[in-house]
Amino acid sequence: MNISSDKKLALKQILAWYTKQQKQAVNTNNQQYLTLGGYAGTGKTTLIAILRKILFKQNPKIRVAFAAFTGKAARVLKTYLKDNGVLYKNDSIGTIHSLIYSVIENERHEIIGWKRKEEIKADLIIIDEASMVDQKIWFDLLAFNISILAVGDHGQLPPINGQFNLMENPAIKLEEIHRQMADNPIIKLSIAARKFGHIEIGNYGQGVRKLNKNDPESAEMIENYLQSYNKDTLILCGYNNTRTKLNNYLRTLLGFESALPQAGDRIICLRNNQQKAVFNGMLGTLQRVTSKDENFYEVKILFDDEEQVFEGLAVKKQFGASTTLSFTKELRVLTLQAELFDFAYALTVHKAQGSQANRVILFEERFKQMSDLDWRRWLYTAVTRAENELIILGD
């Protein structure tokens, strides 16, 4: 693999760090982890693959545990490493949750919770999409006293909950766009978003365009795009009110006659619960939903790219609500007993951080209190959710 000068330098720094780690116990110094940041198109995954190949040549017995926040990200990484012949027999790959937590079963062998494992059999942990990792999971990872290389996009928004941001200022940064990606229209728009916080109205390539929200024809065009919604479409916006209206509209288009959740509905998890293995931002499909009482549904959810099926309680009032419920004492009591899910045909950009889709339809919406930096991160994060098609409505 031919690599650019900045990747060569990054590899040199990573290898120097890891060599030092091998020579001394991890917990005897403060360099247990190293952060590598890279913008979209800079070749972070390529660098991970090259690094793994070098490590294997140095020592075939090294065990690397690859992990990502979401099942989809783990699957994409696994496919890339396999295709390049650098996923070795001593390696493991999966979600961070499956790496560091183990299931708790009752006498009927039903999963009733998860607990942190006592040990991980690995010499190095490589975390992909590390910008998604929150403080609780990060501290649990560090507790194993294993060297960690955290790789993520330092241009994105911080994790959904809390102020912790592992990738805010990574030790190593990749900022040179890979030659093969330089002409990709989505990458070009991501650069404009990151640098200037503005994308001009126009066509940028097949399936990549920005429409003027003040042009009457744009409304009809956006409606046509919405009517072609499928599971591989992400519809993104800024305001929760917009999200709620879009969810209602799309459910009607798809033939859902009731405002209540039904089997087949797309849903999103709105809060972390490590014991139940559900995390803020996880997307899935309702397999079954029945009313338990005035406050709760009993639900069965198949999450995208996850092996485990969730079965448990969901708070009724959260479906279709314009905010995440937690403000009143009554609602806090409910949220202690059940999980928070909502419809997921449209998402705010903050909730879509761990997701990507073939097509993204983006409604540009900026809060007045947003700083220019926050806005650039918001727009950049939104644009980089798109894999092939990107439709933006803005001004």
Side-chain angles (χ1 to χ4, degrees):
M1 299 179 184
N2 294 321
I3 59 172
S4 57
S5 57
D6 65 334
K7 290 191 192 66
K8 288 179 181 177
L9 178 59
L11 274 171
K12 183 177 180 181
Q13 292 173 299
I14 294 167
L15 290 167
W17 163 78
Y18 187 61
T19 299
K20 185 177 180 181
Q21 290 291 290
Q22 290 178 297
K23 290 180 179 178
Q24 55 188 315
V26 172
N27 58 13
T28 63
N29 66 86
N30 61 358
Q31 295 296 315
Q32 179 184 349
Y33 69 91
L34 185 68
T35 51
L36 168 67
Y39 296 134
T42 56
K44 298 185 293 296
T45 310
T46 299
L47 187 88
I48 291 173
I50 297 170
L51 172 66
R52 183 63 190 103
K53 188 173 185 179
I54 293 172
L55 291 175
F56 181 79
K57 286 183 176 180
Q58 291 181 346
N59 181 0
K61 294 183 179 180
I62 286 179
R63 301 165 298 178
V64 178
F66 296 96
F69 192 83
T70 65
K72 181 174 182 178
R75 178 173 55 81
V76 170
L77 178 61
K78 183 177 183 179
T79 299
Y80 187 89
L81 295 175
K82 274 191 166 185
D83 288 348
N84 285 277
V86 292
L87 191 62
Y88 303 105
K89 64 179 182 179
N90 291 331
D91 296 344
S92 64
I93 186 163
T95 62
I96 298 173
H97 189 272
S98 65
L99 174 67
I100 64 178
Y101 303 113
S102 57
V103 299
I104 303 170
E105 295 183 340
N106 59 21
E107 63 278 2
R108 296 190 298 275
H109 300 290
E110 296 170 333
I111 297 174
I112 58 174
W114 297 71
K115 63 180 179 179
R116 196 175 74 200
K117 294 177 181 177
E118 292 185 4
E119 65 173 346
I120 297 173
K121 294 181 179 179
D123 304 298
L124 173 65
I125 297 171
I126 297 180
I127 302 296
D128 194 21
E129 300 285 359
S131 56
M132 291 292 299
V133 177
D134 65 20
Q135 190 172 46
K136 171 66 168 62
I137 292 176
W138 181 242
F139 285 164
D140 281 347
L141 278 163
L142 292 175
F144 291 99
N145 285 327
I146 297 172
S147 302
I148 303 172
L149 175 63
V151 183
D153 189 331
H154 54 297
Q156 288 189 29
L157 291 164
I160 298 169
N161 51 314
Q163 300 300 311
F164 180 78
N165 186 358
L166 181 62
M167 301 308 299
E168 183 174 11
N169 187 26
I172 304 171
K173 297 177 182 178
L174 297 178
E175 300 184 343
E176 182 179 334
I177 303 300
H178 200 283
R179 287 193 303 274
Q180 285 92 325
M181 300 298 292
D183 293 327
N184 183 304
I186 293 174
I187 295 298
K188 287 183 176 179
L189 294 192
S190 78
I191 295 171
R194 173 168 52 82
K195 288 185 175 181
F196 311 114
H198 180 69
I199 295 170
E200 295 286 343
I201 291 163
N203 294 325
Y204 293 90
Q206 186 174 1
V208 180
R209 64 191 310 184
K210 180 173 179 179
L211 303 174
N212 186 345
K213 69 178 184 181
N214 300 311
D215 185 339
E217 292 185 3
S218 296
E220 183 178 348
M221 295 173 72
I222 283 292
E223 186 172 355
N224 289 335
Y225 283 119
L226 292 176
Q227 288 177 352
S228 63
Y229 171 89
N230 57 37
K231 186 180 175 181
D232 206 17
T233 300
L234 270 179
I235 300 171
L236 305 179
C237 57
Y239 304 147
N240 273 308
N241 284 337
T242 304
R243 176 186 59 83
T244 302
K245 291 176 182 177
L246 285 168
N247 277 328
N248 292 337
Y249 174 71
L250 285 157
R251 292 187 76 248
T252 300
L253 279 181
L254 293 168
F256 292 100
E257 297 179 355
S258 170
L260 304 178
Q262 300 173 45
D265 260 319
R266 294 287 292 163
I267 59 90
I268 183 171
C269 177
L270 299 180
R271 185 185 60 179
N272 291 343
N273 185 339
Q274 263 135 0
Q275 292 300 311
K276 295 291 182 67
V278 293
F279 298 94
N280 207 341
M282 286 176 66
L283 298 171
T285 302
L286 270 174
Q287 304 292 295
R288 184 181 69 243
V289 55
T290 56
S291 178
K292 181 179 186 295
D293 55 34
E294 63 178 348
N295 293 318
F296 305 119
Y297 292 116
E298 292 181 341
V299 297
K300 179 179 179 181
I301 300 169
L302 178 61
F303 284 106
D304 299 350
D305 300 293
E306 301 289 339
E307 295 180 2
Q308 300 293 340
V309 174
F310 173 85
E311 293 190 69
L313 297 180
V315 177
K316 283 185 173 182
K317 290 182 179 179
Q318 184 62 73
F319 285 93
S322 60
T323 58
T324 302
L325 304 181
S326 63
F327 300 109
T328 68
K329 183 178 180 180
E330 176 193 3
L331 292 176
R332 282 196 295 271
V333 171
L334 293 181
T335 60
L336 290 174
Q337 301 175 60
E339 306 314 311
L340 300 180
F341 302 107
D342 199 357
F343 300 116
Y345 302 97
L347 306 173
T348 62
V349 172
H350 280 84
K351 293 293 185 186
Q353 288 176 65
S355 303
Q356 281 189 301
N358 182 63
R359 172 193 282 177
V360 167
I361 301 172
L362 171 64
F363 293 80
E364 277 189 354
E365 294 179 325
R366 177 173 179 171
F367 293 97
K368 291 182 179 179
Q369 64 269 33
M370 260 188 177
S371 68
D372 288 344
L373 175 60
D374 287 341
W375 171 247
R376 290 196 301 270
R377 286 185 180 275
W378 185 94
L379 190 57
Y380 173 81
T381 302
V383 168
T384 53
R385 300 311 89 205
E387 295 172 346
N388 290 303
E389 296 181 51
L390 174 64
I391 311 300
I392 304 172
L393 183 67
D395 53 20

